[in-house]
Amino acid sequence: AQTVTQSQPEMSVQEAETVTLSCTYDTSENNYYLFWYKQPPSRQMILVIRQEAYKQQNATENRFSVNFQKAAKSFSLKISDSQLGDTAMYFCAFMNNAGNMLTFGGGTRLMVKP
Amino acid sequence: DAGVTQSPTHLIKTRGQQVTLRCSPKSGHDTVSWYQQALGQGPQFIFQYYEEEERQRGNFPDRFSGHQFPNYSSELNVNALLLGDSALYLCASSWRGQAFKNTEAFFGQGTRLTVV
C-alpha cells in the first residue's frame, strides 16, 4: 500500500514571497502519478499541478512548480509570488499506474499574510 | 458545464439511521469515486464505480455501499450510522477512456454529514 506524508501541518508566508510545501511518499511501484490539490474554505478540491513519475522534468504551472526527486520519493510544491487567494489547505496525493484511486497526505494549511 | 455536483450540501442524521448521498459527474466523465474526509485530515478513498460496477474499494466496512446509474451518476449509501461517520464526503469524476492515464479527477464541493 502507498502512503503519503506531509510533515508541515501549518505554514505561513508573506504576500509576494515564495513558500515550499513538503511531501514524501512510499511506494514499490515504478510508474505512478503525483498531484498537489488545493482545498479552500469552499471545500472543493482543485488540482494545482500534476507530475508523471516517468518524466524527469519537473512540472510547472504559472506560479506553481514542483521538485520531484524520485529516488528520494519526495515531491515538494513551490509557490512563487504568493497571493492572498493561495490561502488554503494543500494536499499531496499519489495515484498508482492503474489510476483507480488517490492516496492523500494529511495536508498543510497555508496562510498568506498581507 | 456544471462540473461535479453533489447533493445535499449538508445533512444531519441520528446514530443508527441510513443515509444516501448523490453525485452527478462532470459532462463527458464516466467514472465516479467517493472519498471520506474527516475534520482536519486528508480524504480517504471509499470506492470507485465504472460501468455501473464497483471497481476498487478502500478500507471501509460493508455498511458503505454504492451504485452507479446508466447516466454515470452515483449514490453512496451508509447504513447503521456511527458518530465516527461524521465527515465531508467528496465525489470525484474522471474519464476512463483511452487516455485515462492522462485525465484528472474533478471534485465536487462535498456533502457535510453530521451524525448525532
Side-chain angles (χ1 to χ4, degrees), chain A residues 8-13 19-22 108-112:
Chain A
Q8 304 152 315
E10 293 187 5
M11 293 193 72
S12 64
V13 63
V19 63
T20 298
L21 308 184
S22 301
T108 296
R109 183 179 301 279
L110 177 66
M111 173 73 73
V112 179

Side-chain angles (χ1 to χ4, degrees), chain B residues 10-28:
Chain B
H10 296 84
L11 201 53
I12 300 175
K13 288 287 189 178
T14 302
R15 188 173 49 185
Q17 285 188 318
Q18 179 264 344
V19 68
T20 297
L21 311 182
R22 295 176 175 81
C23 172
S24 293
K26 179 179 172 64
S27 178

Side-chain angles (χ1 to χ4, degrees), chain A residues 98-114:
Chain A
N100 49 20
M101 62 177 286
L102 285 163
T103 301
F104 286 86
T108 296
R109 183 179 301 279
L110 177 66
M111 173 73 73
V112 179
K113 299 179 178 179

Side-chain angles (χ1 to χ4, degrees), chain B residues 14-106:
Chain B
T14 302
R15 188 173 49 185
Q17 285 188 318
Q18 179 264 344
V19 68
T20 297
L21 311 182
R22 295 176 175 81
C23 172
S24 293
K26 179 179 172 64
S27 178
H29 285 184
D30 58 5
T31 301
V32 173
S33 302
W34 287 92
Y35 292 82
Q36 180 195 66
Q37 185 177 17
L39 194 61
Q41 297 182 22
Q44 298 288 320
F45 175 75
I46 303 175
F47 43 53
Q48 183 182 82
Y49 276 83
Y50 170 66
E51 290 186 335
E52 303 179 47
E53 290 188 15
E54 184 182 293
R55 299 292 177 167
Q56 184 79 15
R57 188 179 182 91
N59 188 27
F60 280 80
D62 292 343
R63 297 186 299 107
F64 290 78
S65 63
H67 189 77
Q68 185 179 35
F69 300 94
N71 66 353
Y72 308 121
S73 66
S74 176
E75 288 182 349
L76 164 64
N77 301 292
V78 186
N79 295 321
L81 284 167
L82 304 174
L83 296 180
D85 295 331
S86 294
L88 179 67
Y89 288 84
L90 295 167
C91 170
S93 74
S94 54
W95 178 57
R96 200 184 183 101
Q98 188 174 12
F100 172 72
K101 293 180 180 178
N102 295 320
T103 194
E104 69 175 87
F106 286 79

Side-chain angles (χ1 to χ4, degrees), chain A residues 9-108:
Chain A
E10 293 187 5
M11 293 193 72
S12 64
V13 63
Q14 291 296 131
E15 193 176 8
E17 294 190 345
T18 297
V19 63
T20 298
L21 308 184
S22 301
C23 173
T24 58
Y25 59 94
D26 188 26
T27 182
S28 58
E29 300 190 21
N30 190 48
N31 294 320
Y32 47 87
Y33 304 83
L34 295 165
F35 305 84
W36 278 98
Y37 279 90
K38 170 185 177 181
Q39 187 177 40
S42 66
R43 310 180 322 199
Q44 187 167 17
M45 285 281 189
I46 301 166
L47 179 65
V48 174
I49 198 166
R50 62 182 289 151
Q51 174 81 41
E52 289 85 353
Y54 61 85
K55 291 185 178 180
Q56 293 186 342
Q57 186 173 6
N58 288 325
T60 62
E61 286 288 342
N62 301 314
R63 298 183 295 110
F64 300 88
S65 62
V66 299
N67 183 2
F68 173 49
Q69 301 290 326
K70 190 173 183 180
K73 297 180 181 176
S74 171
F75 183 60
S76 62
L77 173 69
K78 185 172 80 171
I79 306 174
S80 304
D81 186 25
S82 297
Q83 301 176 0
L84 296 179
D86 295 334
T87 293
M89 284 291 293
Y90 285 81
F91 291 96
C92 177
F94 173 101
M95 179 183 284
N96 61 14
N97 201 39
N100 49 20
M101 62 177 286
L102 285 163
T103 301
F104 286 86
T108 296

